[in-house]
Amino acid sequence: MPAAQHLYANHNFGQLSPEIWYRKEFEIPKVHAGTPEVILLFAWMGATPQHVLKYSSIYRSMYPSATQIIIECPHNFFLKSSAQQEAKFASLIPLLRSLNVLVPSSDIQPAKTLLHVFSNGGACGLITLASVLSICPAQNARSTAIIFDSTPSKAQTRNGVMAFTITIRNVFLRLFARFTLTILFSFLLVVYRILGWKSIIERSYELVASSKNIGGLPFVGLETERLFIYGKKDPLIPYQDVQEAASALEKEGHNVKQLLFSDSAHVAHSRDYPEKYWSVVRELVETSFGISK
């Protein structure tokens, strides 16, 4: 059994597809007001199961009745065509329907769903899922809440290179990789500009910052609560980009909350400030899924 599969299996996760895992609680205690029924974790690029499962374990302790779905983002996701990227989510659609995250019409109350999106890798996975689900009918957007952790950001060569090489420990290999990728990304940026194309990072920023349903998610809308968690010293995601996206949504009338940390690193806010981090998450959940909703 591969290492990742073994780790997820130890936490009672089943494998829906090579990069999607789910854990369904069969002995479900009573769901109280203010409790999500389904939690989707969109992992950051290259996230290890050990790191993702830390969030999963905390969520299980907070909301033991919630079904969890983990969507990984390997490095090669960005090397695939749009069709290949969307095909990744094909197996997820029947599961979302069975959990009532997707319902046939707006007359049916969908499951209370929390989306937790990590970094640009998670954001790109989210907009890809949105593209796949764009043909589905609109639903009650108040049944969904979204957390954006260390995302979104605008496309920048430097940040992209750092994201792909930050885990390389060998100094010489890391420098070589950064040099090579800088040339490659700069070339691709020029090609995209000439052809009038937009990279998936650019599209994810625009859709997160300006689209009420993030490009097609039927269970997301103007009423959906959004929480942006980010840091001033994040070396990969400029905090100004996140602020700009959150402010743009606020001006359009969206329900937006922000939590800015002064010194925690990329996707490390929960590790460095666990009490504050999870307190704000709990507040978002209670506001979104309370009795009044």
Side-chain angles (χ1 to χ4, degrees):
M1 179 183 291
Q5 187 174 351
H6 181 73
L7 285 169
Y8 284 121
N10 283 346
H11 286 76
N12 297 323
F13 276 87
Q15 190 170 20
L16 192 65
S17 71
E19 297 161 11
I20 299 178
W21 307 81
Y22 76 100
R23 175 193 176 110
K24 186 172 182 178
E25 301 295 345
F26 293 98
E27 297 180 3
I28 302 178
K30 182 179 178 181
V31 177
H32 300 283
T35 300
E37 297 167 81
V38 180
I39 301 172
L40 281 83
L41 302 173
F42 291 82
W44 61 97
M45 182 179 68
T48 64
Q50 294 95 323
H51 289 144
V52 180
L53 285 169
K54 289 180 181 179
Y55 291 89
S56 170
S57 297
I58 294 174
Y59 269 127
R60 191 182 181 216
S61 67
M62 293 169 63
Y63 310 115
S65 64
T67 294
Q68 293 188 20
I69 301 172
I70 294 175
I71 301 167
E72 296 182 305
C73 180
H75 291 85
N76 65 4
F77 176 79
F78 296 94
L79 303 178
K80 297 178 180 179
S81 66
S82 297
Q84 290 173 319
Q85 291 171 345
E86 292 179 2
K88 164 181 176 176
F89 293 95
S91 61
L92 184 57
I93 297 175
L95 178 61
L96 294 179
R97 285 179 174 150
S98 70
L99 296 171
N100 283 334
V101 175
L102 291 174
V103 292
S105 72
S106 59
D107 297 329
I108 303 174
Q109 182 66 26
K112 296 175 182 178
T113 304
L114 175 64
L115 311 179
H116 199 141
V117 183
F118 297 92
S119 191
N120 284 346
C124 290
L126 182 66
I127 69 159
T128 304
L129 177 62
S131 178
V132 172
L133 299 182
S134 61
I135 61 173
C136 298
Q139 303 176 179
N140 182 356
R142 292 191 176 187
S143 295
T144 305
I146 310 177
I147 300 169
F148 294 101
D149 185 327
S150 306
T151 191
S153 75
K154 300 173 183 177
Q156 298 181 21
T157 298
R158 174 183 174 275
N159 295 343
V161 170
M162 288 187 65
F164 273 88
T165 60
I166 196 169
T167 57
I168 301 177
R169 296 185 177 183
N170 184 286
V171 176
F172 297 104
L173 184 58
R174 184 168 64 247
L175 289 174
F176 175 77
R178 286 182 176 177
F179 174 76
T180 304
L181 288 175
T182 297
I183 295 174
L184 175 61
F185 288 174
S186 298
F187 171 75
L188 290 175
L189 183 62
V190 172
V191 172
Y192 272 54
R193 291 293 180 267
I194 293 174
L195 297 177
W197 296 348
K198 291 183 178 179
S199 69
I200 190 171
I201 298 294
E202 291 174 302
R203 287 188 284 115
S204 69
Y205 183 86
E206 291 180 0
L207 291 175
V208 168
S210 63
S211 175
K212 70 178 183 179
N213 66 351
I214 313 184
L217 286 174
F219 42 80
V220 172
L222 186 66
E223 304 90 348
T224 302
E225 300 272 356
R226 292 166 167 86
L227 169 62
F228 290 85
I229 303 176
Y230 55 110
K232 275 194 172 182
K233 292 190 176 180
D234 189 329
L236 302 182
I237 306 294
Y239 75 93
Q240 298 93 334
D241 287 359
V242 183
Q243 283 182 331
E244 184 178 326
S247 298
L249 288 169
E250 284 181 320
K251 290 179 181 178
E252 293 179 3
H254 291 270
N255 298 317
V256 176
K257 296 180 176 65
Q258 299 183 52
L259 177 59
L260 174 62
F261 290 103
S262 60
D263 57 356
S264 48
H266 186 64
V267 199
H269 316 303
S270 172
R271 181 196 66 193
D272 295 345
Y273 297 96
E275 291 186 8
K276 181 63 176 176
Y277 187 98
W278 291 107
S279 173
V280 173
V281 169
R282 191 183 296 275
E283 288 175 9
L284 174 77
V285 168
E286 291 175 354
T287 301
S288 301
F289 306 139
I291 297 174
S292 63
K293 297 293 184 179

